[in-house]
Amino acid sequence: QVRLVESGGGLVQPGGSLRLSCAASGFTFSVALMNWYRQAPGKERELVASVSRAGGNTNYADSVKGRFAISRDNAKNAIWLQMNSLQPEDAAVYYCNAYLPYGDNYWGQGTRVTVSS
């Protein structure tokens, strides 16, 4: 029933850009804090960006601040992650996450981002 489906990953050269999308269904999207996480091989999953319920507040990991931008549209039940100036260190599987008011979490299947010349 609950689904978070990421898309938009792929191969880009260093300095390039990608825009990831996450389509949500099966829960009340507007009450969820939405996040993007990523996990690279051999590393722990890390929080990349978050956006508040109405989209008015965003937060970013220091490593991506100024390069990435998270956004949401509650009418479309979707969030996006615009990624600019991509570096090899950004290569990872990126996951869409929904954090609900009482602590429940929903996760997408992930979309892979590869940064290589």
Side-chain angles (χ1 to χ4, degrees), residues 39-59:
Q39 187 167 26
K43 295 185 177 180
E44 296 295 320
R45 187 172 298 185
E46 64 173 338
L47 177 63
V48 175
S50 61
V51 59
S52 59
R53 292 180 180 184
N57 292 100
T58 58
N59 288 283

Side-chain angles (χ1 to χ4, degrees), residues 1-5 22-27 29 34 76-79 96 98:
Q1 183 73 11
V2 173
R3 295 191 72 194
L4 295 172
V5 181
C22 174
S25 61
F27 66 99
F29 182 81
M34 299 300 299
K76 297 182 178 180
N77 285 7
I79 67 167
C96 181

Side-chain angles (χ1 to χ4, degrees), residues 19-94:
R19 185 173 177 86
L20 307 183
S21 299
C22 174
S25 61
F27 66 99
T28 305
F29 182 81
S30 61
V31 306
L33 179 71
M34 299 300 299
N35 309 289
W36 285 99
Y37 285 78
R38 69 185 182 188
Q39 187 167 26
K43 295 185 177 180
E44 296 295 320
R45 187 172 298 185
E46 64 173 338
L47 177 63
V48 175
S50 61
V51 59
S52 59
R53 292 180 180 184
N57 292 100
T58 58
N59 288 283
Y60 301 92
D62 288 343
S63 59
V64 307
K65 193 171 185 177
R67 299 187 297 119
F68 290 12
I70 187 173
S71 59
R72 72 188 294 164
D73 187 338
N74 289 345
K76 297 182 178 180
N77 285 7
I79 67 167
W80 297 268
L81 184 67
Q82 179 66 46
M83 305 185 295
N84 299 325
S85 301
L86 283 162
Q87 305 168 22
E89 303 82 63
D90 296 315
V93 176
Y94 283 72

